[in-house]
Amino acid sequence: MERLQKVIAHAGIASRRKAEEYIVNGRVKVNGKIIRELGTQVGKNDKVEVDDVPIYKEEYGYYLFYKPKGVISAVSDDKGRKVVTDFFSHIKERIYPVGRLDYDTSGLLLLTNDGEFSQKLTHPSHEIDKVYVAKVKGLAKKHDLLPLTRGMKIEGYKTAPAAFEIISVDLKTNTSIVELTIHEGRNHQVKNMLQAVGYPVQKLKREKYGDLTLKGLRPGEYRNLNKKEISVLMNQSKS
């Protein structure tokens, strides 16, 4: 279910604010009945009309994308940089990323045009594991990383407990590969956490989102999520 004004805006009829005016002014019908309540929720099977003209409701699309490094997690960029939706130019739905990955971070990113799906997955109570692999400066030691498992204060907030694994240590380059599992999604969180324990991130990739992986994909490629995957993600949300 989605708010009526959001459905109208999503169909490209008007902005959400303008859609609210249409509703208040009695120009919108749901299943043949004029609706003036802004909080009205409508489902996929409801018939919505604006000025007696049925609106076209897009089919929902759900995509798993292998975001390359150097791409913005947005639908547009005022600096003209490449954005994730540039890789979906032939997709008719107006999709957008669920959450984000930093410009210089690669890996698994979900995109959709389903507002309810996106809202559930980005809600703070949605505690699905996200697995990152980081190349960090320094020779990682377990006792240095242990504070991550208890949660730590960073930029005024305390992180939830995380899990880590030291994958490898390279004496020649003075670098390490560390896997970090978190279920939050704050900006630069993984970088900030590893920086806080003394290991600045040089390279970062998100390899897993819940049970989803990048298997079979190369950077810049994507695939559709199947119904089971969508259902699992929705049911894992506590919001």
Side-chain angles (χ1 to χ4, degrees), residues 129 146-152 158-164 180-184 189 193:
D129 285 343
L146 280 176
L148 301 173
T149 67
R150 299 188 288 267
M152 53 199 303
K158 186 174 182 180
T159 65
F164 73 85
L180 192 65
T181 302
I182 66 172
H183 58 69
E184 298 174 294
Q189 182 166 347
M193 290 172 74

Side-chain angles (χ1 to χ4, degrees), residues 5-203:
Q5 57 265 42
K6 187 174 182 180
V7 171
I8 294 170
H10 189 73
I13 305 298
S15 68
R16 196 177 302 191
R17 184 172 294 180
K18 202 71 178 174
E20 291 175 350
E21 292 180 19
Y22 290 175
I23 294 169
V24 171
N25 293 332
R27 296 173 60 181
V28 179
K29 292 179 181 178
V30 177
N31 300 325
K33 180 182 176 182
I34 293 176
I35 300 294
R36 297 179 187 268
E37 293 291 327
L38 293 179
T40 300
Q41 300 275 333
V42 293
K44 297 177 182 179
N45 296 322
D46 289 317
K47 181 182 179 184
V48 179
E49 298 172 88
V50 177
D51 295 332
D52 295 320
V53 178
I55 69 170
Y56 166 71
K57 288 188 281 188
E58 293 179 339
E59 291 293 321
Y60 287 134
Y62 308 86
Y63 304 95
L64 188 162
F65 176 54
Y66 188 158
K67 186 186 97 64
K69 182 179 177 181
V71 176
I72 303 290
S73 295
V75 297
S76 63
D77 180 62
D78 55 9
K79 296 179 181 177
R81 294 171 295 182
K82 202 171 188 67
V83 297
V84 291
T85 49
D86 289 339
F87 294 85
F88 295 80
S89 57
H90 63 291
I91 298 292
K92 65 179 182 178
E93 298 93 4
R94 286 168 295 177
I95 59 174
Y96 47 86
V98 178
R100 64 188 297 277
L101 287 178
D102 292 342
Y103 177 76
D104 57 353
T105 299
S106 65
L108 197 158
L109 184 69
L110 301 178
L111 291 94
T112 188
N113 59 342
D114 183 342
E116 182 181 1
F117 177 80
S118 179
Q119 185 178 5
K120 272 184 173 282
L121 266 59
T122 54
H123 193 276
S125 68
H126 186 68
E127 298 183 354
I128 190 167
D129 285 343
K130 305 173 186 74
V131 179
Y132 293 80
V133 173
K135 180 182 180 181
V136 300
K137 184 178 180 180
L139 305 179
K141 298 178 180 65
K142 184 177 179 180
H143 65 82
D144 291 335
L145 296 168
L146 280 176
L148 301 173
T149 67
R150 299 188 288 267
M152 53 199 303
K153 265 207 163 184
I154 297 177
E155 296 187 340
Y157 70 91
K158 186 174 182 180
T159 65
F164 73 85
E165 182 179 349
I166 299 172
I167 305 297
S168 64
V169 173
D170 191 326
L171 297 173
K172 288 184 178 179
T173 60
N174 189 39
T175 60
S176 306
I177 304 296
V178 176
E179 180 183 278
L180 192 65
T181 302
I182 66 172
H183 58 69
E184 298 174 294
R186 297 175 186 269
N187 286 351
H188 313 301
Q189 182 166 347
V190 172
K191 293 176 183 175
N192 289 343
M193 290 172 74
L194 289 169
Q195 175 78 41
V197 293
Y199 297 106
V201 172
Q202 296 182 340
K203 192 175 181 181

Side-chain angles (χ1 to χ4, degrees), residues 60-65 88 91 93 212 217 222-227 229-230:
Y60 287 134
Y62 308 86
Y63 304 95
L64 188 162
F65 176 54
F88 295 80
I91 298 292
E93 298 93 4
L212 301 174
L217 296 179
Y222 66 88
R223 68 171 178 84
N224 292 77
L225 293 181
N226 61 45
K227 289 183 178 180
E229 290 170 332
I230 296 165

